[in-house]
């Protein structure tokens, strides 16, 4: 129960924030604070502090203007501290993460009277590895780790790379930089950064001679004292996949807040997708084969390592022809000649297996590859373990530290690649449980650096079971929030995708905005986009009716149509257009704002990503034009496999998946217009299907209560 002391602490902190910042209390915000506080405070525990309650998660849809961040911080932080738990605030985007870290938390600390510490959590790959930096500074250009995979990069980077390394070393050594890639003043290219960072397999942790100076572990030590840890969905999922408590605290010691929570299911699916690029694997195996002489010379003094290395030539010899066979078989199954990555003019091509069912011939090859990669990964893991133990002065492996240390990053890297290969071929060789949704399995043909490549991929079509077991089942408590969590006004689609149980608490919070200040229009120019040429002509005709000083965001469903419309516009209108694929996002927004400030008209042409994360309040955006209902592209292998499975069980995938998902995207697109209480303007939908198809009414009814206008005539919602 929410006892009076805890309730009083939350209420007092809220009053102080409102008074100190001159804010007006919002009804939706107060409801959100109360719902979170009740959910988290009602969690029952046993004598050891373990959670007993099953209603420990609340899911809250709170639109723009609710004040979500302040609400969940004020409600969850006092409960977390009182229960001895850590508060993990997780976002999907860098922009929101930076807002929470650099604006919301400092403001809360300054004005709420609450005493707390906070820190940012990132994975190892975002931090400088001092050991690798030291190797480069010492001029260890013949380092074996470098020679296998990165020597070619070294010749391209030249003086620029070594100049950068000296700058990084000076800044880190003097304390002016904390070793975080994202805080370096200029972007560091991926190939350069890969040579200066590490991952959990390559890192030697406390056995490293640079442990006390390590940027990652310095940041980790700050997490140990933090009451609030700011992270992102990818890091939370990565930590869970490692068993939890590796980068972040153990889930059972955490209360999670997932802001932008609607992204979590897709992030989880991507996280559990496996891929294997055939020619990429052939290249690293051949490089390993060429380097066996060096490996033996350096490491074969250790008997176990010597025995394992002796088996590598046979394993590689078994793999190379197998990979050649699956490369040829993949092209045969897709009815493509070897070496042709795609149909003429395409950058890549997918070949998806219906219902995820892999043909017997490929499944047999996959089974053989599982065996070989299992042995290879076991042997590499054993060698890596021996190399790590060799760094510990208390362990006597028979391998001197100076011989073991340079080779550990390479062996760990190869181990990671072998494990991923094993996971992919396991997924390809297994048959799915007929009672459960199948895995999606597909081939991708493309050209990489001019050479043909075939990538095998396997993915769950849903991460619901994984999230239900390891995240919701493992955590102490959780809050999921976003402006768009419902589809067609209901939470069922999110529950299905995120594994959220019916017993959890769900609520749609009221908006502070008066949506009648905006007009939702389906004009006479709106046509069925099934006739592409007529639809493009209608879009061009509509643009020509826009006012000269309007601030417009026009959202397209395809890049091809965006370019076709831009090309067809008269020059006078085309000069007002700022197209997403022509300019970086930040520069495009700056130019748009500058034009509006100068009293000029500006029209942004954007794709799906501009339906989220664009914040142009007031006069900076007075008209949103949605050219087409935002149905998902039908060639996504994961979505297509799920649709097949639903249809095979007598369901209607269009109504169960496509329409609800389009509803969410439509709400997000319309949400670009009203960002503050005083905002107003128009939303125009140039897709007549919203009036002529049976799902149209459901899509319209899921939108906020805008004033409606059909063919120029006002109508009742």
């Amino acid at each position: 129960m929410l006892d009076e002391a805890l309730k009083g602490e939350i209420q007092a902190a809220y009053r102080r924030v409102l008074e100190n910042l001159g804010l007006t209390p919002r009804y939706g915000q107060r409801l959100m604070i109360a719902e979170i506080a009740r959910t988290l405070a009602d969690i029952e525990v046993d004598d050891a502090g373990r959670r007993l309650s099953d209603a420990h998660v609340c899911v809250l849809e709170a639109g723009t203007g609710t004040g979500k961040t302040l609400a969940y911080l004020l409600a969850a932080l006092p409960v977390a501290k009182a229960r001895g738990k850590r508060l993990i605030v997780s976002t999907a985007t860098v922009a929101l993460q930076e807002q929470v870290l650099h604006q919301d938390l400092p403001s809360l600390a300054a004005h709420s009277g609450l005493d707390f510490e906070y820190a940012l959590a990132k994975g190892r790959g975002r931090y400088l590895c001092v050991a690798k930096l030291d190797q480069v500074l010492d001029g260890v250009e013949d380092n074996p780790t470098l020679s296998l995979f990165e020597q070619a990069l070294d010749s391209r980077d030249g003086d620029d790379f070594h100049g950068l390394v000296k700058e990084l070393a000076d800044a880190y050594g003097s304390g002016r930089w904390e070793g975080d890639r994202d805080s370096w003043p200029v972007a560091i290219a991926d190939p350069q950064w890969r040579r200066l960072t590490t991952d959990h397999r390559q890192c030697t942790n406390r056995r490293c001679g640079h442990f006390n100076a390590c940027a990652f572990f310095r940041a980790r030590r700050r997490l140990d004292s933090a009451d609030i840890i700011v992270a992102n969905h990818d890091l939370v999922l990565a930590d869970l996949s490692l068993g939890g408590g590796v980068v972040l605290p153990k889930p059972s010691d955490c209360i999670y807040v997932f802001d932008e929570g609607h992204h979590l299911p897709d992030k989880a699916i991507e996280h559990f997708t496996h891929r294997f690029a055939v020619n990429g694997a052939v290249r690293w195996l051949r490089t390993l084969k060429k380097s066996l002489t060096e490996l033996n010379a350096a490491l074969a003094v250790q008997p176990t390592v010597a025995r394992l290395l002796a088996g590598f030539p046979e394993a590689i010899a078994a793999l190379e022809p197998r990979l050649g066979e699956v490369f040829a078989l993949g092209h045969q199954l897709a009815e493509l000649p070897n070496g042709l990555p795609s149909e003429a003019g395409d950058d890549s091509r997918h070949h998806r297996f219906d219902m995820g069912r892999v043909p017997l011939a490929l499944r047999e090859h996959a089974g053989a590859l599982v065996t070989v990669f299992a042995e290879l990964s076991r042997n590499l893991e054993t060698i890596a373990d021996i190399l790590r133990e060799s760094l510990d002065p208390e362990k006597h492996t028979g391998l001197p530290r100076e011989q073991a240390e340079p080779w550990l990053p390479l062996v760990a890297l190869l181990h990671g690649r072998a494990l991923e290969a094993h996971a992919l071929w396991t997924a390809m060789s297994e048959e799915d449980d007929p009672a459960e949704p199948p895995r999606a399995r597909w081939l991708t043909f493309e050209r990489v650096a001019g050479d043909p490549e075939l990538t095998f991929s396997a993915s769950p079509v849903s991460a619901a079971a994984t999230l239900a077991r390891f995240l919701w089942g493992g955590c102490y408590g959780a809050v999921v929030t976003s402006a768009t969590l419902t589809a067609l006004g209901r939470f069922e689609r999110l529950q299905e995708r995120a594994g959220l149980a019916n017993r959890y608490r769900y609520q749609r919070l009221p908006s502070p905005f008066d949506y009648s200040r905006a007009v939702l229009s389906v004009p006479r120019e709106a046509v069925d986009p099934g006739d592409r040429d007529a639809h493009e002509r209608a879009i061009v005709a509509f643009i020509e009716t826009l006012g000269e000083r309007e601030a417009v965001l026009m959202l397209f469903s395809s890049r091809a149509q965006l370019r076709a419309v831009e090309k067809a516009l008269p020059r006078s209108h085309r000069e007002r257009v700022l197209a997403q694929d022509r300019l970086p996002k930040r520069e495009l927004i700056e130019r748009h704002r500058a034009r509006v400030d100068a009293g000029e008209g500006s029209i942004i042409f954007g794709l799906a990503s501009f339906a989220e994360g664009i914040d142009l309040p007031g006069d900076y955006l007075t008209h949103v034009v949605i050219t087409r209902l935002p149905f998902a592209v039908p060639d996504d292998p994961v979505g297509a496999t799920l649709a097949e499975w639903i249809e095979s069980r007598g369901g209607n995938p269009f109504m169960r998946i496509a329409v609800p998902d389009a509803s969410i995207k439509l709400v997000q697109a319309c949400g670009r217009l009203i960002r503050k209480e005083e905002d107003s303007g128009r939303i125009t939908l140039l897709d007549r299907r919203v009036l002529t198809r049976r799902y149209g009414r459901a899509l319209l009814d899921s939108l906020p209560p805008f004033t409606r206008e059909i063919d120029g005539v006002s109508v009742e919602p």
Side-chain angles (χ1 to χ4, degrees):
M1 293 291 292
L2 185 63
D3 60 61
E4 289 302 316
L6 201 52
K7 182 178 179 181
E9 182 182 5
I10 294 170
Q11 290 176 337
Y14 187 40
R15 280 196 302 272
R16 282 192 290 269
V17 169
L18 295 178
E19 292 169 4
N20 291 336
L21 294 176
L23 300 176
T24 302
R26 297 172 179 176
Y27 178 58
Q29 189 177 57
R30 294 202 306 271
L31 283 180
M32 187 171 182
I33 292 171
E35 187 68 18
I36 293 171
R38 276 197 299 268
T39 299
L40 299 179
D42 286 352
I43 296 171
E44 296 179 3
V45 297
D46 62 17
D47 292 339
R50 290 186 294 264
R51 175 176 55 79
L52 298 174
S53 304
D54 283 334
H56 59 296
V57 179
C58 67
V59 183
L60 303 171
E61 183 176 81
T64 303
T66 304
K68 291 188 289 293
T69 312
L70 179 61
Y72 63 63
L73 289 174
L74 279 170
L77 175 59
V79 178
K81 292 190 71 174
R83 302 294 188 262
K85 305 300 177 182
R86 315 286 286 287
L87 183 61
I88 311 293
V89 177
S90 179
T91 72
T93 62
V94 173
L96 181 57
Q97 186 180 72
E98 290 181 346
Q99 176 194 310
V100 171
L101 193 70
H102 300 302
Q103 297 178 35
D104 299 323
L105 284 170
S107 177
L108 187 71
H111 301 295
S112 67
L114 297 174
D115 180 26
F116 63 93
E117 294 184 27
Y118 59 91
L120 174 65
K122 296 184 181 184
R124 279 178 179 83
R126 306 309 297 178
Y127 289 98
L128 175 76
C129 172
V130 182
K132 288 193 174 184
L133 178 72
D134 206 35
Q135 288 175 358
V136 178
L137 286 173
D138 287 346
V140 190
E141 300 305 326
D142 59 348
N143 184 289
T145 350
L146 187 64
S147 67
L148 280 179
F149 293 102
E150 296 166 350
Q151 225 162 39
L153 293 174
D154 186 51
S155 63
R156 289 199 299 270
D157 293 337
D159 293 339
D160 288 344
F161 177 63
H162 293 290
L164 170 67
V165 167
K166 289 176 182 175
E167 284 187 63
L168 295 175
D170 289 344
Y172 189 67
S174 66
R176 290 181 286 110
W177 179 53
E178 295 185 340
D180 173 1
R181 180 184 184 180
D182 301 307
S183 64
W184 189 249
V186 295
I188 302 174
D190 287 343
Q192 294 179 329
W193 185 252
R194 277 196 296 269
R195 292 173 56 185
L196 297 170
T197 191
T198 190
D199 60 27
H200 73 278
R201 290 193 181 90
Q202 298 179 58
C203 179
T204 57
N205 298 333
R206 296 182 182 277
R207 292 168 174 156
C208 178
H210 299 278
F211 178 74
N212 290 330
C214 176
F216 172 69
F217 281 101
R218 281 180 176 177
R220 279 288 301 274
R221 285 189 281 274
R222 285 195 290 273
L223 296 187
D224 292 341
S225 61
D227 303 294
I228 300 176
I229 298 173
V230 181
N232 60 41
H233 299 349
D234 289 317
L235 185 62
V236 172
L237 292 166
D239 190 61
L240 286 175
S241 70
L242 294 171
V246 178
V247 178
L248 300 170
K250 290 190 300 183
S252 58
D253 292 331
C254 292
I255 293 173
Y256 294 96
V257 175
F258 291 100
D259 204 339
E260 301 176 312
H262 61 286
H263 286 292
L264 192 61
D266 285 333
K267 293 278 188 183
I269 287 174
E270 178 61 27
H271 193 79
F272 297 110
T273 297
H274 300 294
R275 296 182 178 86
F276 181 87
V278 177
N279 282 334
V282 169
R283 282 192 295 273
W284 68 258
L285 285 167
R286 286 176 179 169
T287 309
L288 172 59
K289 184 178 178 181
K290 292 175 185 175
S291 302
L292 285 174
T293 302
E294 293 176 70
L295 276 163
N296 275 291
L299 306 178
V301 294
Q302 210 285 337
T304 303
V305 174
R307 175 176 57 80
L308 296 175
L309 287 176
F312 279 15
E314 184 180 344
I316 295 170
L319 275 170
E320 285 185 322
R322 281 283 182 186
L323 295 180
E325 290 165 9
V326 295
F327 187 84
L329 180 59
H331 284 78
Q332 179 186 331
L333 292 171
E335 299 180 350
L336 283 174
N338 271 9
L340 271 182
S342 62
E343 295 176 341
D346 288 347
D347 294 328
S348 65
R349 172 180 168 178
H350 292 314
H351 175 79
R352 183 180 60 82
F353 297 112
D354 293 346
M355 289 285 287
R357 296 192 186 107
V358 174
L360 179 60
L362 179 55
R363 203 162 66 241
E364 289 176 347
H365 276 291
L369 287 167
V370 166
T371 302
V372 182
F373 276 114
E375 183 179 5
L376 184 62
S377 58
R378 278 195 303 269
N379 293 345
L380 286 165
E381 182 178 23
T382 301
I383 295 173
D385 288 343
I386 291 171
L387 296 183
R388 286 191 188 91
E389 288 187 0
S390 300
L391 306 184
D392 189 337
E394 296 181 3
K395 300 288 177 68
H396 303 287
T397 64
L399 191 61
R401 180 185 182 113
E402 59 271 16
Q403 286 177 245
E405 191 166 22
W407 285 97
L408 179 58
L410 169 66
V411 174
L413 179 66
L414 292 172
H415 178 224
R417 293 190 176 188
L419 281 175
E420 176 62 15
H422 179 263
L424 180 281
W425 292 115
T426 299
M428 282 286 177
S429 66
E430 291 177 339
E431 293 193 51
D432 295 317
D433 181 345
E436 298 295 328
R439 284 190 184 96
R441 298 175 176 91
W442 69 97
L443 314 176
T444 303
F445 303 88
E446 57 192 335
R447 286 195 176 273
V448 178
D451 297 323
E453 181 59 281
L454 165 58
T455 301
F456 289 78
S457 302
S459 169
V461 296
S462 170
T466 302
L467 292 173
R469 179 180 176 185
F470 296 107
L471 180 53
W472 316 127
C475 71
Y476 178 81
V479 178
V480 183
T481 188
S482 172
T484 47
L485 291 179
T486 58
L488 302 174
R490 298 185 295 274
F491 285 101
E492 282 90 339
R493 179 70 176 133
L494 178 70
Q495 289 178 286
E496 180 182 65
R497 299 184 69 224
L500 291 159
N502 287 329
R503 63 181 177 272
Y504 299 156
R505 301 170 82 143
Y506 298 85
Q507 189 166 352
R508 297 180 72 189
L509 300 170
S511 171
F513 296 155
D514 178 6
Y515 286 106
S516 68
R517 293 169 59 89
V519 175
L520 173 65
S521 168
V522 185
R524 293 185 181 89
E525 291 90 341
V527 300
D528 190 319
D531 185 339
R532 189 178 67 180
D533 292 340
H535 189 230
E536 287 176 3
R537 288 195 299 270
I539 296 171
V540 171
F542 180 78
I543 292 172
E544 291 175 353
T545 69
L546 294 173
E548 290 184 2
R549 296 188 177 182
E550 280 196 75
V552 183
L553 171 62
M554 182 164 279
L555 296 168
F556 291 83
S557 61
S558 78
R559 181 171 277 103
Q561 188 176 65
L562 183 155
R563 289 175 175 169
V565 169
E566 184 183 18
K567 184 178 179 181
L569 286 173
R571 182 176 178 180
S572 58
H573 288 78
R574 192 163 59 244
E575 288 175 346
R576 290 162 55 192
V577 170
L578 295 167
Q580 178 180 351
D581 58 350
R582 308 261 187 233
L583 291 168
K585 182 178 178 180
R586 180 173 293 182
E587 183 180 347
L588 184 150
I589 297 299
E590 288 174 353
R591 287 197 191 184
H592 174 83
R593 285 175 171 268
R595 286 182 178 182
V596 174
D597 288 340
E600 303 170 5
S602 181
I603 305 171
I604 295 174
F605 276 17
L607 297 167
S609 63
F610 272 41
E612 274 194 272
I614 293 286
D615 193 14
L616 293 168
D619 292 339
Y620 290 117
L621 184 59
T622 56
H623 197 165
V624 173
V625 182
I626 301 164
T627 60
R628 184 178 183 139
L629 291 173
F631 288 110
V633 179
D635 62 355
D636 166 43
V638 175
T641 302
L642 178 59
E644 278 181 340
W645 182 75
I646 291 172
E647 195 166 7
S648 74
R649 298 170 71 84
N652 183 336
F654 182 75
M655 295 304 295
R656 181 169 162 184
I657 300 174
V659 173
D661 288 356
S663 164
I664 293 171
K665 293 174 183 175
L666 188 61
V667 171
Q668 289 169 344
C670 292
R672 296 311 95 206
L673 182 66
I674 305 295
R675 310 302 296 170
K676 296 185 180 298
E677 292 183 31
E678 61 273 15
D679 286 352
S680 61
R682 290 182 75 82
I683 300 166
T684 300
L685 184 55
L686 295 176
D687 187 336
R688 191 155 287 272
R689 290 178 299 176
V690 78
L691 302 178
T692 60
R693 302 293 173 90
R694 61 191 180 97
Y695 55 76
R697 167 60 67 175
L699 290 176
L700 287 175
D701 288 347
S702 70
L703 296 174
F706 301 118
T707 299
R708 289 190 193 173
E709 189 179 278
I710 307 298
D711 293 336
V713 178
S714 295
V715 296
E716 289 294 322

